[in-house]
Coordinates of all heavy atoms in Angstrom, one line a residue:
L349 N -123.3 22.4 -82.3 CA -122.3 21.4 -82.2 C -121.7 21.1 -83.5 O -120.5 20.9 -83.6 CB -123.0 20.1 -81.6 CG -122.0 18.9 -81.3 CD1 -120.8 19.3 -80.5 CD2 -122.8 17.8 -80.7
H350 N -122.5 21.0 -84.6 CA -121.9 20.7 -85.9 C -121.0 21.9 -86.3 O -119.9 21.6 -86.9 CB -123.1 20.6 -86.9 CG -123.7 19.3 -87.0 ND1 -123.4 18.3 -87.9 CD2 -124.7 18.7 -86.2 CE1 -124.1 17.2 -87.7 NE2 -124.9 17.5 -86.7
R351 N -121.4 23.1 -86.0 CA -120.6 24.2 -86.4 C -119.3 24.2 -85.6 O -118.2 24.5 -86.2 CB -121.4 25.5 -86.1 CG -120.6 26.8 -86.5 CD -121.6 28.0 -86.6 NE -122.2 28.2 -85.3 CZ -123.5 28.0 -85.1 NH1 -124.3 27.5 -86.0 NH2 -124.0 28.2 -83.9
A352 N -119.3 23.9 -84.3 CA -118.1 23.9 -83.5 C -117.2 22.8 -84.0 O -116.0 23.0 -84.0 CB -118.5 23.7 -82.0
A353 N -117.8 21.6 -84.4 CA -116.9 20.5 -84.9 C -116.3 20.9 -86.2 O -115.1 20.6 -86.4 CB -117.8 19.3 -85.0
R354 N -117.0 21.6 -87.0 CA -116.4 22.0 -88.3 C -115.3 23.0 -88.1 O -114.3 23.0 -88.9 CB -117.6 22.6 -89.2 CG -117.1 23.0 -90.6 CD -118.2 23.5 -91.4 NE -118.7 24.8 -91.0 CZ -119.8 25.1 -90.4 NH1 -120.7 24.2 -90.2 NH2 -120.1 26.4 -90.1
L355 N -115.4 23.9 -87.2 CA -114.5 25.0 -87.0 C -113.3 24.6 -86.0 O -112.3 25.3 -85.9 CB -115.1 26.2 -86.4 CG -116.2 26.8 -87.2 CD1 -116.9 28.0 -86.5 CD2 -115.6 27.4 -88.5
G356 N -113.4 23.4 -85.4 CA -112.4 22.9 -84.5 C -112.5 23.6 -83.2 O -111.4 23.7 -82.4
D357 N -113.6 24.1 -82.8 CA -113.8 24.8 -81.5 C -114.1 23.7 -80.4 O -115.3 23.4 -80.1 CB -115.0 25.7 -81.6 CG -115.3 26.5 -80.4 OD1 -114.6 26.4 -79.4 OD2 -116.3 27.3 -80.4
V358 N -113.1 23.3 -79.8 CA -113.2 22.2 -78.8 C -114.0 22.7 -77.6 O -114.9 21.9 -77.1 CB -111.8 21.7 -78.3 CG1 -112.0 20.7 -77.2 CG2 -111.1 21.1 -79.5
N359 N -113.8 23.9 -77.1 CA -114.6 24.5 -76.0 C -116.0 24.5 -76.4 O -116.9 24.3 -75.5 CB -114.0 25.8 -75.6 CG -112.7 25.7 -74.9 OD1 -112.3 24.7 -74.3 ND2 -111.9 26.8 -75.0
G360 N -116.3 25.0 -77.6 CA -117.7 25.0 -78.1 C -118.4 23.6 -78.1 O -119.5 23.5 -77.7
I361 N -117.6 22.6 -78.5 CA -118.1 21.3 -78.5 C -118.5 20.8 -77.1 O -119.6 20.3 -76.9 CB -117.0 20.3 -79.1 CG1 -116.9 20.5 -80.6 CG2 -117.4 18.8 -78.8 CD1 -115.7 19.8 -81.3
K362 N -117.6 21.0 -76.2 CA -117.8 20.6 -74.8 C -119.0 21.4 -74.2 O -119.8 20.8 -73.4 CB -116.6 20.8 -74.0 CG -115.4 19.9 -74.4 CD -114.2 20.2 -73.5 CE -113.0 19.3 -73.9 NZ -111.8 19.6 -73.1
R363 N -119.1 22.7 -74.5 CA -120.2 23.5 -74.0 C -121.5 23.0 -74.5 O -122.5 22.8 -73.7 CB -120.0 24.9 -74.3 CG -121.1 25.8 -73.8 CD -120.8 27.3 -74.0 NE -120.7 27.6 -75.4 CZ -119.5 27.9 -76.0 NH1 -118.4 27.8 -75.3 NH2 -119.5 28.1 -77.3
C364 N -121.6 22.7 -75.8 CA -122.9 22.2 -76.4 C -123.3 20.9 -75.8 O -124.5 20.6 -75.4 CB -122.7 22.0 -77.9 SG -122.7 23.6 -78.8
I365 N -122.3 20.0 -75.6 CA -122.6 18.7 -75.0 C -123.1 18.8 -73.6 O -124.0 18.1 -73.1 CB -121.4 17.7 -75.1 CG1 -121.1 17.4 -76.6 CG2 -121.6 16.4 -74.4 CD1 -119.8 16.6 -76.9
T366 N -122.4 19.7 -72.8 CA -122.8 19.9 -71.4 C -124.2 20.5 -71.4 O -125.0 20.1 -70.4 CB -121.8 20.9 -70.8 OG1 -120.5 20.4 -70.8 CG2 -122.2 21.2 -69.4
E367 N -124.6 21.3 -72.3 CA -126.0 21.9 -72.3 C -127.0 20.9 -72.8 O -128.2 21.2 -72.8 CB -126.0 23.2 -73.2 CG -125.2 24.3 -72.5 CD -125.1 25.5 -73.4 OE1 -125.6 25.5 -74.6 OE2 -124.5 26.5 -73.0
G368 N -126.6 19.8 -73.3 CA -127.6 18.8 -73.7 C -127.6 18.3 -75.2 O -128.5 17.6 -75.6
A369 N -126.7 18.8 -75.9 CA -126.6 18.4 -77.3 C -126.3 17.0 -77.5 O -125.5 16.4 -76.7 CB -125.6 19.3 -78.1
N370 N -126.9 16.3 -78.5 CA -126.6 14.9 -78.7 C -125.3 14.8 -79.6 O -125.2 15.3 -80.7 CB -127.8 14.3 -79.5 CG -127.6 12.8 -79.8 OD1 -126.5 12.2 -79.5 ND2 -128.5 12.3 -80.5
V371 N -124.3 14.2 -79.0 CA -123.0 14.1 -79.7 C -123.1 13.4 -81.0 O -122.3 13.6 -81.9 CB -121.9 13.5 -78.8 CG1 -122.2 12.0 -78.6 CG2 -120.5 13.7 -79.3
N372 N -124.1 12.5 -81.2 CA -124.3 11.8 -82.4 C -125.5 12.3 -83.2 O -126.0 11.6 -84.1 CB -124.5 10.3 -82.1 CG -123.2 9.6 -81.5 OD1 -122.2 9.7 -82.1 ND2 -123.4 9.1 -80.3
D373 N -125.8 13.6 -83.0 CA -126.9 14.2 -83.8 C -126.6 14.2 -85.3 O -125.5 14.5 -85.7 CB -127.1 15.7 -83.3 CG -128.1 16.4 -84.1 OD1 -129.3 15.9 -84.1 OD2 -127.8 17.4 -84.7
R374 N -127.6 13.9 -86.1 CA -127.4 13.8 -87.5 C -128.1 15.0 -88.2 O -129.2 15.4 -87.8 CB -128.0 12.5 -88.0 CG -127.3 11.2 -87.5 CD -128.2 10.0 -87.6 NE -128.5 9.7 -89.0 CZ -127.8 8.9 -89.8 NH1 -126.7 8.3 -89.4 NH2 -128.2 8.7 -91.0
D375 N -127.5 15.5 -89.2 CA -128.1 16.6 -90.0 C -129.0 16.0 -91.1 O -129.2 14.8 -91.2 CB -127.0 17.6 -90.5 CG -126.2 16.9 -91.6 OD1 -126.5 15.8 -92.1 OD2 -125.2 17.6 -92.0
Q376 N -129.4 16.9 -92.0 CA -130.4 16.4 -93.0 C -129.7 15.4 -94.0 O -130.4 14.7 -94.7 CB -130.9 17.6 -93.8 CG -129.9 18.4 -94.7 CD -129.2 19.5 -93.9 OE1 -129.2 19.5 -92.6 NE2 -128.7 20.5 -94.6
N377 N -128.4 15.3 -94.0 CA -127.7 14.4 -94.9 C -127.2 13.2 -94.1 O -126.6 12.3 -94.7 CB -126.6 15.0 -95.6 CG -127.0 16.2 -96.5 OD1 -128.0 16.0 -97.3 ND2 -126.4 17.3 -96.4
G378 N -127.5 13.1 -92.8 CA -127.1 12.0 -92.0 C -125.7 12.2 -91.4 O -125.2 11.3 -90.8
W379 N -125.1 13.4 -91.6 CA -123.7 13.6 -91.0 C -123.9 13.9 -89.5 O -124.7 14.6 -89.1 CB -123.1 14.8 -91.7 CG -122.3 14.4 -93.0 CD1 -122.6 13.4 -93.8 CD2 -121.1 15.0 -93.5 NE1 -121.7 13.3 -94.9 CE2 -120.8 14.3 -94.7 CE3 -120.3 16.1 -93.1 CZ2 -119.7 14.7 -95.4 CZ3 -119.2 16.5 -93.8 CH2 -118.9 15.8 -95.0
T380 N -122.9 13.3 -88.8 CA -122.8 13.6 -87.4 C -121.7 14.7 -87.2 O -120.9 14.9 -88.2 CB -122.4 12.4 -86.5 OG1 -121.1 12.0 -86.9 CG2 -123.4 11.3 -86.8
P381 N -121.6 15.3 -86.0 CA -120.4 16.2 -85.8 C -119.1 15.6 -86.1 O -118.2 16.2 -86.6 CB -120.6 16.6 -84.4 CG -122.0 16.5 -84.1 CD -122.5 15.3 -84.9
L382 N -119.0 14.3 -85.9 CA -117.7 13.6 -86.2 C -117.4 13.5 -87.6 O -116.2 13.6 -88.1 CB -117.8 12.2 -85.6 CG -116.4 11.4 -85.5 CD1 -115.4 12.2 -84.7 CD2 -116.6 10.0 -84.9
H383 N -118.4 13.3 -88.5 CA -118.2 13.4 -89.9 C -117.6 14.7 -90.3 O -116.6 14.8 -91.1 CB -119.6 13.3 -90.7 CG -120.1 11.9 -90.8 ND1 -120.8 11.2 -89.8 CD2 -120.0 10.9 -91.8 CE1 -121.2 10.0 -90.2 NE2 -120.7 9.8 -91.4
R384 N -118.2 15.8 -89.8 CA -117.7 17.2 -90.1 C -116.3 17.4 -89.7 O -115.4 17.9 -90.4 CB -118.6 18.2 -89.5 CG -120.0 18.2 -90.1 CD -120.8 19.4 -89.8 NE -122.1 19.4 -90.4 CZ -122.4 19.7 -91.6 NH1 -121.4 20.1 -92.4 NH2 -123.6 19.6 -92.1
A385 N -116.0 17.0 -88.4 CA -114.7 17.2 -87.9 C -113.6 16.4 -88.6 O -112.5 16.9 -88.9 CB -114.6 16.9 -86.4
A386 N -114.0 15.2 -89.0 CA -113.1 14.3 -89.7 C -112.8 14.9 -91.1 O -111.7 14.9 -91.6 CB -113.7 12.9 -89.8
F387 N -113.9 15.4 -91.8 CA -113.7 15.9 -93.2 C -112.8 17.1 -93.2 O -112.0 17.4 -94.1 CB -115.1 16.2 -93.7 CG -115.0 16.7 -95.2 CD1 -114.8 15.7 -96.2 CD2 -115.1 18.0 -95.5 CE1 -114.8 16.1 -97.5 CE2 -115.1 18.4 -96.9 CZ -114.9 17.4 -97.9
K388 N -112.9 17.9 -92.1 CA -112.1 19.2 -92.0 C -110.8 18.9 -91.4 O -109.9 19.8 -91.3 CB -112.9 20.2 -91.2 CG -114.1 20.8 -91.9 CD -113.7 21.7 -93.0 CE -114.8 22.4 -93.7 NZ -114.4 23.3 -94.8
G389 N -110.5 17.7 -90.9 CA -109.2 17.4 -90.3 C -109.0 18.0 -88.9 O -107.9 18.3 -88.5
R390 N -110.1 18.3 -88.2 CA -110.0 18.9 -86.9 C -109.7 17.8 -85.9 O -110.6 17.2 -85.2 CB -111.3 19.6 -86.5 CG -111.8 20.5 -87.6 CD -110.8 21.7 -87.9 NE -111.4 22.7 -88.7 CZ -110.8 23.7 -89.3 NH1 -109.5 23.9 -89.0 NH2 -111.4 24.6 -90.1
I391 N -108.5 17.4 -85.7 CA -108.1 16.3 -84.9 C -108.5 16.4 -83.4 O -109.0 15.5 -82.8 CB -106.6 16.0 -85.0 CG1 -106.2 14.7 -84.2 CG2 -105.7 17.2 -84.6 CD1 -106.8 13.5 -84.7
E392 N -108.3 17.7 -82.9 CA -108.7 17.9 -81.5 C -110.2 17.8 -81.3 O -110.7 17.3 -80.3 CB -108.2 19.3 -81.0 CG -106.7 19.4 -81.0 CD -106.1 18.3 -80.1 OE1 -106.7 18.0 -79.0 OE2 -105.0 17.8 -80.5
S393 N -111.0 18.2 -82.3 CA -112.4 18.1 -82.3 C -112.8 16.6 -82.3 O -113.7 16.1 -81.6 CB -113.1 18.8 -83.5 OG -113.0 20.2 -83.3
V394 N -112.1 15.8 -83.2 CA -112.4 14.4 -83.3 C -112.2 13.7 -82.0 O -113.0 12.9 -81.5 CB -111.5 13.8 -84.4 CG1 -111.6 12.2 -84.3 CG2 -111.9 14.3 -85.8

Side-chain angles (χ1 to χ4, degrees):
L349 180 58
H350 277 264
R351 184 166 55 254
R354 185 178 70 250
L355 298 176
D357 181 1
V358 175
N359 289 332
I361 290 172
K362 293 178 180 179
R363 182 173 59 253
C364 288
I365 294 173
T366 299
E367 291 176 356
N370 180 1
V371 71
N372 293 303
D373 177 59
R374 295 160 61 92
D375 68 9
Q376 66 272 21
N377 297 313
W379 273 31
T380 66
L382 191 57
H383 280 85
R384 294 191 178 279
F387 186 76
K388 287 292 185 178
R390 311 298 188 187
I391 185 63
E392 295 303 321
S393 292
V394 168

